[in-house]
Each structure stands twice: as C-alpha cells, then as structure tokens.
C-alpha cells in the first residue's frame, strides 16, 4: 500500500483526517484534523495518546481537566505563527469555536500523564534553515529543547516558498541514527494568492530506503498526508506559484524525545554549500505578529 494518503482517504467529512497509529500500521504517531463551523463544538477523548491542539485557520476554546485555553489561532497557516494547547493522555477535551476553526491534533501514544498547558505564539521560535533555493522556515513549536512538556510527542511546522526545496538533503530518523521515529507529513498548499490553501496548487515529495523496500515519488496537494515508517525523506518541492506548508509529527519508543537524524551520505555535501549562498529573502514568511512582507 502506498504511504501517500490523499485528502479524503483517511476519513469522511470536510478536510478531516482520522489517523491513529493503528490506521497507519505502526505503534506511536497519529494525527487528526477537525473542522468546526461557526458555533460548533465537539469533545475529543485522548485515550492513550497525548496531543497538541493546533489551529490551522480560525480560533477556538479548549477546555480540559478544569483548564480553559482561548486559542487566537490565525487566518491561514501562511499568515501567522499560532498559539496552541497541550492535551494529556486519558483526558476528555471540549473544543468549541465562535467563528469557525480548522485544527490539527498531532498525537503520540505515551506512558506519562502530564498536565494540560497553553503555548503562546510569542514564545514559538521561528528558524530560517538552508540557503538559496533550499531556504525554508521551520516553526519549532513542539520540539525538544523548545517545548519539553510532552512524553513522546514531537511536532513542528515548515513553510517552503514557492519554487524552493525543503527536507533537503534527504535524511532519516531510524535505527542507524540513535533514534527511532515514525513521522507524518501533513501538507497544505497555497493557491495563487500565496495565502489561501487550495487544491489547485501542488508540490512533490520523495521517501526511499537503501534496500529499495520504500521508493516513492509523489505529487502532493492541499490536505494530503504522507507516512514515513523509516528511510530517507526529502526533498519536498514547492511548485513555482504555490507555497508549501507541512506539519511534521514524530514519535517513537525512544527513552527521551529526539529529532536526531542522518543525511543520505550521497547528498550531505549540499549542507556545505549553504555558507556561500544567500538566504531567500522571502523567509521567514510568518511570525507571531503576522506575515512578513
């Protein structure tokens, strides 16, 4: 079965994603994407997963364990870095919205039950990585060292300006890299205005292994998911005219959360060339204050 799951293949409903570890065919990482219309409300049972509540568009209120967090959110993943909330395992969360919201819930099976917590947008580090046409923005809201209030869950966002490459050089997070992580890529592709997600645009993604057991080159559109159980992943290429966003969700059996990686040695030399190249001035694209023009 292909590791590429186009929009609509993981759940019924508008832009919904229902991806548990069992559905993915592995043990740890999961993702849900929910759409609530104005005035909408739903409850979410975390079970043996911890999760983030990450607004993709719109804002919401999160109520869990007697805590209440108001998430301002954003108009689009291409307009602002958002605030978010952490949900512990074995919890019932009430999610509601006044004006409508689309939200992602990156998830990971975990052992420890932590307290709910709010993550302010103003405290989320924004990194510009790469150089030249490999320049991209990395929004490190849920990674080790930035957000340590999690047992297994790791998550970050990337924005790749149209025409650029990211997840490059190809790299992996598995047994030969002192870490074992399952990883999910959830794509949003902007349309002609470079802000509003649209199925009109597209990009490309590659995942492969040394033994040839995985070798996929796929066209991705807005709302698609790609599963990475092992192996090298990258590049992700944003087609000219269509900026690319993706949410990365990682989790594994590691004693401590880690994003350790190994480059494909055939392409690791690329990193050495960045010192002599200029950064793409389109990055960063967004901050907590809004879009950078």
């Amino acid at each position: 079965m292909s590791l590429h799951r186009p929009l609509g293949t993981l759940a019924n409903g508008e832009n919904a994603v229902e991806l548990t570890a069992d559905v993915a065919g592995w043990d740890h990482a999961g993702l849900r994407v929910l759409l609530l219309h104005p005035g909408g409300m739903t409850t979410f049972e975390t079970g043996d997963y911890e999760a983030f509540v990450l607004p993709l568009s719109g804002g919401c209120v999160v109520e869990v364990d007697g805590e209440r967090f108001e998430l301002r959110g954003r108009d689009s993943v291409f307009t602002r870095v958002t605030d978010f909330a952490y949900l512990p395992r074995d919890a019932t969360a009430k999610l509601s919205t006044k004006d409508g919201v689309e939200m992602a819930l990156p998830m990971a099976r975990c052992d420890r039950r932590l307290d709910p917590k709010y993550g302010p947008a103003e405290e989320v580090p924004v990194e510009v990585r790469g150089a030249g046409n490999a320049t991209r923005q990395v929004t490190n809201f849920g990674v080790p060292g930035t957000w340590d209030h999690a047992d297994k869950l790791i998550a970050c966002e990337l924005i790749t300006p149209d025409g650029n490459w990211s997840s490059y050089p190809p790299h992996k997070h598995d047994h030969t890299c002192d870490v074992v992580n399952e990883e999910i890529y959830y794509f949003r592709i902007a349309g002609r205005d470079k802000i509003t997600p649209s199925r009109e645009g597209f990009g490309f993604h590659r995942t492969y292994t040394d033994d040839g057991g995985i070798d996929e080159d796929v066209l991705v559109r807005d709302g698609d998911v790609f599963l990475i159980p092992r192996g090298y992943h990258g590049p992700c290429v944003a087609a000219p005219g269509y900026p690319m966003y993706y949410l990365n969700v990682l989790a594994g059996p590691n004693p401590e959360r880690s994003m350790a990686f190994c480059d494909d040695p055939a392409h690791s030399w690329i990193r050495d060339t960045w010192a002599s190249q200029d950064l793409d001035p389109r990055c960063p694209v967004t901050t907590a204050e809004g879009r950078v023009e």
Side-chain angles (χ1 to χ4, degrees), residues 79-248:
T79 61
R80 180 178 180 265
V81 173
T82 187
D83 51 355
F84 62 97
Y86 170 84
L87 304 179
R89 62 167 289 162
D90 301 318
T92 300
K94 177 182 175 182
L95 310 174
S96 59
T97 181
K98 177 183 177 183
D99 299 316
V101 66
E102 185 177 21
M103 69 188 91
L105 287 87
M107 310 183 303
R109 280 197 173 118
C110 66
D111 302 317
R112 293 187 298 142
R113 190 182 197 278
L114 307 179
D115 294 330
K117 190 172 181 179
Y118 173 71
E122 293 73 18
E123 296 181 9
V124 174
V126 173
E127 173 190 358
V128 176
R129 188 176 296 172
N133 62 357
T135 308
R136 61 273 198 181
Q137 170 178 329
V138 185
T139 306
N140 290 308
F141 76 94
V143 304
T146 294
W147 182 270
D148 292 325
H149 190 79
D151 186 28
K152 298 293 185 182
L153 178 60
I154 302 170
C156 63
E157 302 177 294
L158 284 92
I159 298 178
T160 308
D162 59 295
N164 280 12
W165 293 44
S166 60
S167 288
Y168 194 70
H171 61 281
K172 62 181 179 177
H173 317 270
D174 61 31
H175 299 80
T176 58
C177 303
D178 300 321
V179 67
V180 178
N181 277 323
E182 303 157 351
E183 185 168 6
I184 300 167
Y185 274 59
Y186 171 66
F187 292 92
R188 304 308 304 259
I189 309 294
R192 300 183 189 190
D193 66 1
K194 298 182 171 30
I195 291 175
T196 308
S198 168
R199 293 284 287 177
E200 174 187 31
F202 64 96
F204 295 94
H205 173 85
R206 174 160 170 73
T207 291
Y208 60 97
T209 56
D210 289 321
D211 62 10
I214 298 174
D215 190 357
E216 294 201 32
D217 301 281
V218 298
L219 182 148
V220 292
R221 294 189 184 274
D222 185 64
D224 287 5
V225 171
F226 198 95
L227 306 178
I228 301 171
R230 63 188 180 95
Y232 297 110
H233 36 285
C236 290
V237 185
Y242 302 110
M244 171 187 285
Y245 161 100
Y246 49 89
L247 170 64
N248 283 153

Side-chain angles (χ1 to χ4, degrees), residues 246-287:
Y246 49 89
L247 170 64
N248 283 153
V249 186
L250 301 94
N254 317 292
E256 296 183 359
R257 295 162 66 237
S258 172
M259 293 187 73
F261 67 90
C262 302
D263 285 336
D264 182 337
H267 306 296
S268 61
W269 65 271
I270 294 292
R271 292 188 188 274
D272 296 331
T273 69
W274 292 343
S276 61
Q277 298 181 57
D278 293 332
L279 298 177
D280 188 323
R282 295 176 294 176
C283 289
V285 179
T286 63
T287 69

Side-chain angles (χ1 to χ4, degrees), residues 12-16 33-42 57-61 95-103:
N12 295 320
E14 300 170 280
N15 293 346
V33 178
L34 305 176
L35 176 66
L36 296 180
H37 293 289
M41 185 275 290
T42 190
S57 62
C60 63
V61 173
L95 310 174
S96 59
T97 181
K98 177 183 177 183
D99 299 316
V101 66
E102 185 177 21
M103 69 188 91

